[in-house]
Amino acid sequence: MIQKDFIPKEYTGQLEEADFGWQSPSNIALIKYWGKKEIQIPANPSISFTLDNCHTKTWVQVSAKSQTENEFSFEILLDGAAKPDFAPKIETFFKRVQPYLPFVNAYHFKIRTTNSFPHSSGIASSASGMSALALCFMSMENTLIPDMDQEFFFKKASFLSRLGSGSACRSIEGPLMVFGQHQDISQSSNLYGVKYTGELHDNFKKYQDTVLLVDVGEKKVSSSVGHDLVNGHPFASARFEQAHKNLSELLVILKNGDLEAFVKVVESEALVLHAIMMSSQPYYLLLRPNTLRIIEKIWEYRANSSSNLCFTLDAGANVHLLYPEAEKESVLQFIKNELVVYCKNEQYICDQIGFGAKKL
Ligand code: DP6
């Protein structure tokens, strides 16, 4: 599908005053999306596990708009309290989606949102937040186009989420989502995320993700700035080529269940992401001393056992611990005994792979 396929031809239904709600999951990339063209056209394909416990719930109440001007009319509340500092991001989102959702100028929207994870945990809420909002808008559009098919509904929800945040387009379905064109995945696209429909070995079913909270609070360098620094980066083309190759390898691993090979690809992707940041101009560092201590502990733990525990990172200092369900008990013991000391206020979040957004 191309961009213009997302512009509606005709609205036949009515959008009444009502509340539309969705719960959207967070996701963790195994092959990283890092580098983009405007607006969120990825420089390389990525694939992520959809999470389960880490999610955002959003409700959008539609009502008549008081002013007649063509500007957007909305208010936003986080956990019941007004959040005016979210407004610029939402305003940008409205501007970007307007050509594809022409009804957004015609109403007032009261957006209420809440995250299952602490707001200051350093877990990005943009993926789950933007996708929950996009899904609410799709439910509204569905009342205007009552015969819309399910597949299109989710594809457009992902397309709109991407306009808010690239990784948000992977926060729609599960257990794995691909964003960006890749030669081995015929349905893949740079415009929206698609569900991974290949075979998934039993080893990966119920895969666990325990997020160790190392550094909480605002990131020093935002993802948007980080993505921009990939443009003109001396290693950029080699990195993009590597991401394609790593995704090809991972697709084989997902089928054959080779956990040792999984660990190698996933950890290498995490470190390359940060290596690109550290070698950007200007260069910067998001890893903290405790991030490195945790990584070394994981390597030590693996060397002394037959464990397939591995780590991945997003654009921050927190560490995601990925492991098969069969290792749940032993890994949680290891976390409590040896890793929790490196977490801010001993905080960590237990999650596992999930199956996508849910209508509320
Ligand atoms: C490191 O989706 O946060 O988490 O598109 O600018 O909103 P924008 O960036 P964002 O980038 C995610 C980067 C990453 C890797 C990934 O999730 O693939």
Side-chain angles (χ1 to χ4, degrees), residues 19-24 55-61 75-83 86 90 110-117 119 125-126 128-133 136 360:
D19 221 0
F20 298 86
W22 277 87
Q23 171 181 310
S24 266
H55 57 248
T56 298
K57 284 182 182 173
T58 298
W59 293 265
V60 183
Q61 195 180 341
E75 58 194 299
I76 170 127
L77 291 90
L78 174 69
D79 299 324
K83 245 346 211 170
F86 282 7
I90 304 292
K110 182 174 179 179
I111 305 165
R112 289 175 297 128
T113 190
T114 181
N115 298 318
S116 65
F117 44 90
H119 183 56
S125 56
S126 61
S128 51
M130 284 298 170
S131 62
L133 187 58
C136 290
L360 297 170

Side-chain angles (χ1 to χ4, degrees), residues 108-181:
H108 175 74
F109 303 96
K110 182 174 179 179
I111 305 165
R112 289 175 297 128
T113 190
T114 181
N115 298 318
S116 65
F117 44 90
H119 183 56
S120 60
S121 63
I123 297 193
S125 56
S126 61
S128 51
M130 284 298 170
S131 62
L133 187 58
L135 284 157
C136 290
F137 280 116
M138 282 313 294
S139 284
M140 290 174 218
E141 187 161 74
N142 204 174
T143 67
L144 293 162
I145 309 175
D147 59 354
M148 186 186 292
D149 79 61
Q150 275 265 86
E151 199 186 321
F152 178 81
F153 179 100
F154 288 111
K155 208 169 261 183
K156 184 163 173 181
S158 178
F159 173 87
L160 298 172
S161 305
R162 188 204 97 229
L163 298 177
S165 175
S167 55
C169 81
R170 298 189 311 239
S171 274
I172 301 286
E173 293 176 88
L176 286 130
M177 289 283 287
V178 176
F179 172 36
Q181 234 163 0

Side-chain angles (χ1 to χ4, degrees), residues 115-352:
N115 298 318
S116 65
F117 44 90
H119 183 56
S120 60
S121 63
I123 297 193
S125 56
S126 61
S128 51
M130 284 298 170
S131 62
L133 187 58
L135 284 157
C136 290
F137 280 116
M138 282 313 294
S139 284
M140 290 174 218
E141 187 161 74
N142 204 174
T143 67
L144 293 162
I145 309 175
D147 59 354
M148 186 186 292
D149 79 61
Q150 275 265 86
E151 199 186 321
F152 178 81
F153 179 100
F154 288 111
K155 208 169 261 183
K156 184 163 173 181
S158 178
F159 173 87
L160 298 172
S161 305
R162 188 204 97 229
L163 298 177
S165 175
S167 55
C169 81
R170 298 189 311 239
S171 274
I172 301 286
E173 293 176 88
L176 286 130
M177 289 283 287
V178 176
F179 172 36
Q181 234 163 0
H182 186 269
Q183 58 169 20
D184 300 344
I185 305 167
S186 60
Q187 302 300 310
S188 59
S189 166
N190 285 341
L191 298 180
Y192 47 83
V194 294
K195 182 172 155 169
Y196 165 76
T197 52
E199 201 186 314
L200 185 64
H201 192 277
D202 280 349
N203 281 350
F204 297 107
K205 297 192 176 144
K206 299 202 183 155
Y207 224 67
Q208 304 290 304
D209 178 5
T210 303
V211 194
L212 305 185
L213 305 180
V214 172
D215 195 19
V216 299
E218 280 291 297
K219 275 186 266 179
K220 279 173 222 77
V221 181
S222 73
S223 283
S224 297
V225 172
H227 280 288
D228 280 350
L229 294 176
V230 184
N231 291 320
H233 191 293
F235 308 151
S237 61
R239 161 61 197 152
F240 302 149
E241 212 178 293
Q242 177 194 47
H244 279 269
K245 196 177 132 279
N246 281 349
L247 181 49
S248 294
E249 267 177 40
L250 190 65
L251 293 174
V252 175
I253 294 167
L254 291 174
K255 284 193 189 83
N256 69 18
D258 182 344
L259 293 176
E260 244 175 80
F262 178 82
V263 168
K264 281 193 188 132
V265 176
V266 169
E267 291 192 346
S268 159
E269 274 290 315
L271 293 176
V272 164
L273 168 71
H274 285 265
I276 294 287
M277 295 175 195
M278 286 186 241
S279 50
S280 292
Q281 250 346 312
Y283 45 83
Y284 63 107
L285 190 58
L286 298 181
L287 303 177
R288 305 296 305 142
N290 281 350
T291 314
L292 302 182
R293 290 193 181 100
I294 291 168
I295 291 174
E296 293 198 316
K297 278 278 175 195
I298 292 169
W299 288 343
E300 198 183 289
Y301 179 74
R302 246 193 355 247
N304 296 325
S305 66
S306 56
S307 172
N308 288 300
L309 167 68
C310 73
F311 70 86
T312 190
L313 306 161
D314 59 17
N318 294 337
V319 186
H320 288 249
L321 264 55
L322 302 177
Y323 50 98
E325 202 206 12
E327 289 191 37
K328 194 170 169 175
E329 220 174 295
S330 49
V331 170
L332 285 176
Q333 204 52 53
F334 167 59
I335 293 171
K336 280 184 201 139
N337 293 348
E338 306 215 28
L339 302 183
V340 88
V341 291
Y342 303 118
C343 299
K344 196 101 183 175
N345 305 322
E346 308 205 335
Q347 286 182 93
Y348 61 93
I349 296 175
C350 293
D351 210 340
Q352 58 180 354

Side-chain angles (χ1 to χ4, degrees), residues 6-8 94-102:
F6 294 105
I7 300 174
F94 270 85
K95 275 193 200 128
R96 288 178 183 168
V97 301
Q98 197 279 334
Y100 309 101
L101 298 173

